[in-house]
Amino acid sequence: MSDALLLGIDLGAGSLKSTVITARGEVVANASAPVETLTPRPGHSEQDPAGWWAALVTTLAALWAEGVDPDRVVALSLTAGAHTSVLEDASGAVLRPAIMWNDARSGAQVTRGREAAGAEILALSGNRISATWTLPQLMWLADEEPRVHERIARLLPAKDWLRRKLDGSTATDITDAWGIMLADATSGGWSPRLCALAGIDPAVLPAIVGSTDVTGTVTAAAAAQTGLRAGTTVICGTSDTNAETYSAGMTRPGIGALKLATAATVSTLTTTPAFSDDVIHYPHLVPGHAYAITATNSCASAHRWLRDALFEDIGFDGMDRKAQAAPAGSDGLLFHPYLSGERSPYWDPDLRASFVGLGFAHKASHICRALYEGVAYSLRDCLEVLRGRGIGFTTARLVGGGTRSALWRQIIADVTGLTIEVPAEGDASFGAALIAGIGAGVFADTDDAAKAIRVDETLQPNAADAAVYDAGFALFREAAQALTPVNHGLVAAARGAR
């Protein structure tokens, strides 16, 4: 298979990316296309699945235009963000836009579920119920859109809905099954009790298979639309973070992964998931392992918000240049990146973002740098949760679009105190291509495929700036706690005004 090519497709929150690699793990080409997020009401975040498919077709056309030969693609796999599911009726029609993982609408249902069965949900699903999961989203639908809820005949996680468009299969992997919060984390199948809480029949859910299992081949109809060769092997795939942490090199305990994407995440590999209220757990691609993950909801999304709100004229590159002109600590300016509520360690959908400490001496440069630092502080908040449970680490692989900024990369090292390694290729589409290779037998197993992972850069914390950030982190936490009741009051008032 020396001339074989592998295709990985990743559906992100803002774009879909397709990457083609060789059997040696070398990137041949990649292409991206935007996907639109709808916000019909404050706190709501939705996408039209038809837009995902259009983006997939667009990226594949771009790859073929670059000279990639689709006849050499021996296998493909897909990834996408967890918790985002597509609902269909009995005819296969999509019932409504897909509710995203960063949607905050189900706060009332989360409170109700936690009060009535919080401990039971944790014991069954392995995770604490919060607004990011599909379970409370389905509870919201039952309350607010009952006619849609009663017509649900099939539920598919985002990557599985896309894959069915390619090979006709109806399946998901165990990681995305946990992400729906309807799977029994101990038995491995769907939980009748969790499905009852969501008000759905387990029969509407897909079969659970392995992430590297073959689910089918590209159909003639899909080939006609995409340019793929009919009969190309299709591999199930997994969640984006599972694939991304693996492709970054988090292949053994002791190495963590930090992700600067739409959201920011902190992950580490464990041999046994220890279910808890403060840490999310999923099965990992590496056999016999799970990964623990904590996350802050707004990272690149906060960066984009600031650009659109104040710096549209200079763009991201201009903001980065301005941030470089401000000192570590931004002369006392703090930013809390809670634009859409927060996950770990606060688990509070009603937290909101804030700049704290603004004075006449602050300039645009301070505002830009404070955003970088605020996301880094939030990542340290997440890291402290893992450290508190004895599963911290000293070295982390850094991935995601935010890694394009050299300043932001160094700030992450200085704030967290970690040795930061930046992989040459560490995104989910690259991970999906490796998964395609494992499933098709191009690679013998996850250890064999991991030989293709390379590190481009290593960063150490700067001692002087790290001292500034240690003091800043304490104030960041103190301000977050002090502003919590204010945030709750503002959100309650806004809801009452609608």
Side-chain angles (χ1 to χ4, degrees):
M1 290 191 177
S2 59
D3 65 342
L5 297 179
L6 303 165
L7 172 62
I9 300 168
D10 173 58
L11 172 63
S15 64
L16 182 143
K17 182 178 180 181
S18 295
T19 294
V20 174
I21 68 172
T22 68
R24 295 177 298 279
E26 300 160 336
V27 173
V28 175
N30 53 52
S32 297
V35 292
E36 182 184 10
T37 298
L38 310 170
T39 53
R41 293 176 59 182
H44 289 211
S45 180
E46 305 177 345
Q47 290 185 355
D48 180 0
W52 306 340
W53 178 249
L56 185 152
V57 172
T58 297
T59 60
L60 295 187
L63 292 176
W64 315 148
E66 287 186 41
V68 176
D69 181 359
D71 287 341
R72 290 178 56 199
V73 176
V74 298
L76 66 90
S77 183
L78 300 96
T79 62
H83 320 302
T84 300
S85 297
V86 181
L87 307 175
E88 295 180 338
D89 66 13
S91 71
V94 175
L95 286 167
R96 68 173 329 280
I99 300 175
M100 298 287 287
W101 56 265
N102 58 350
D103 188 282
R105 76 184 68 189
S106 60
Q109 287 74 26
V110 168
T111 299
R112 188 174 77 224
R114 191 172 295 157
E115 290 174 349
E120 184 182 14
I121 292 170
L122 175 63
L124 284 170
S125 73
N127 288 297
R128 168 188 176 133
I129 186 173
S130 70
T132 196
W133 305 93
T134 305
L135 168 57
Q137 294 168 3
L138 290 169
M139 294 167 64
W140 181 91
L141 278 173
D143 292 341
E144 303 296 331
E145 298 180 7
R147 292 185 179 179
V148 171
H149 188 277
E150 67 188 16
R151 293 171 59 201
I152 297 172
R154 180 183 289 120
L155 183 154
L156 285 171
K159 68 105 170 40
D160 302 303
W161 183 85
L162 273 174
R163 195 191 60 254
R164 186 162 59 87
K165 297 275 286 184
L166 291 169
D167 70 358
S169 66
T170 303
T172 192
D173 71 306
I174 188 62
T175 303
D176 265 339
W178 280 35
I180 299 172
M181 196 169 257
L182 298 178
D184 188 320
T186 55
S187 74
W190 298 113
S191 165
R193 171 59 174 155
L194 293 175
C195 289
L197 289 171
I200 65 168
D201 186 332
V204 310
L205 299 171
I208 300 174
V209 302
S211 301
T212 59
D213 283 359
V214 175
T215 57
T217 60
V218 173
T219 66
Q225 294 181 68
T226 64
L228 287 162
R229 174 179 53 83
T232 301
T233 299
V234 180
I235 307 300
C236 180
T238 188
S239 73
D240 58 353
T241 301
N242 193 15
E244 199 160 35
T245 56
Y246 169 75
S247 68
M250 195 182 82
T251 58
R252 65 182 188 276
I255 295 180
L258 307 184
K259 177 180 177 181
L260 304 180
T262 299
T265 59
V266 182
S267 305
T268 189
L269 210 60
T270 66
T271 53
T272 305
F275 301 160
S276 67
D277 257 355
D278 54 0
V279 177
I280 299 170
H281 289 88
Y282 295 101
H284 196 260
L285 189 65
V286 176
H289 289 75
Y291 64 101
I293 178 172
T294 53
T296 181
N297 274 347
S298 302
C299 177
S301 52
H303 196 202
R304 189 181 309 111
W305 162 80
L306 186 62
R307 180 203 63 183
D308 294 345
L310 298 177
F311 299 107
E312 196 168 15
D313 57 330
I314 62 172
F316 291 130
D317 290 342
M319 291 170 66
D320 198 66
R321 289 191 294 270
K322 284 189 177 295
Q324 292 173 38
S330 300
D331 286 327
L333 180 62
L334 293 171
F335 174 67
H336 296 99
Y338 310 143
L339 287 153
S340 60
E342 193 51 292
R343 282 187 276 179
S344 180
Y346 301 108
W347 299 105
D348 188 343
D350 292 343
L351 285 185
R352 290 297 178 265
S354 58
F355 282 100
V356 178
L358 272 169
F360 282 121
H362 290 121
K363 300 179 175 61
S365 58
H366 295 93
I367 292 172
C368 292
R369 185 174 184 121
L371 184 135
Y372 285 175
E373 293 173 342
V375 171
Y377 285 141
S378 197
L379 281 172
R380 178 165 168 180
D381 241 352
C382 294
L383 179 60
E384 294 297 336
V385 173
L386 298 181
R387 286 171 171 162
R389 296 188 61 81
I391 49 176
F393 43 86
T394 58
T395 299
R397 299 291 174 91
L398 186 66
V399 298
T403 61
R404 286 191 289 268
S405 167
L407 175 63
W408 208 351
R409 297 196 300 268
Q410 186 61 52
I411 287 173
I412 297 296
D414 296 340
V415 169
T416 62
L418 297 169
T419 296
I420 296 295
E421 297 178 340
V422 183
E425 302 290 342
D427 69 6
S429 64
F430 179 72
L434 293 178
I435 290 170
I438 297 168
V442 173
F443 304 118
D445 51 28
T446 54
D447 287 340
D448 187 33
K451 296 174 184 175
I453 301 167
R454 298 177 297 277
V455 171
D456 260 1
E457 180 184 29
T458 300
L459 299 168
Q460 299 292 343
N462 176 288
D465 288 349
V468 172
Y469 289 133
D470 280 343
F473 178 62
L475 293 170
F476 174 90
R477 274 185 157 179
E478 184 179 348
Q481 292 165 5
L483 287 170
T484 295
V486 177
N487 285 323
H488 289 176
L490 289 170
V491 171
R495 285 180 181 144
R498 291 199 294 269

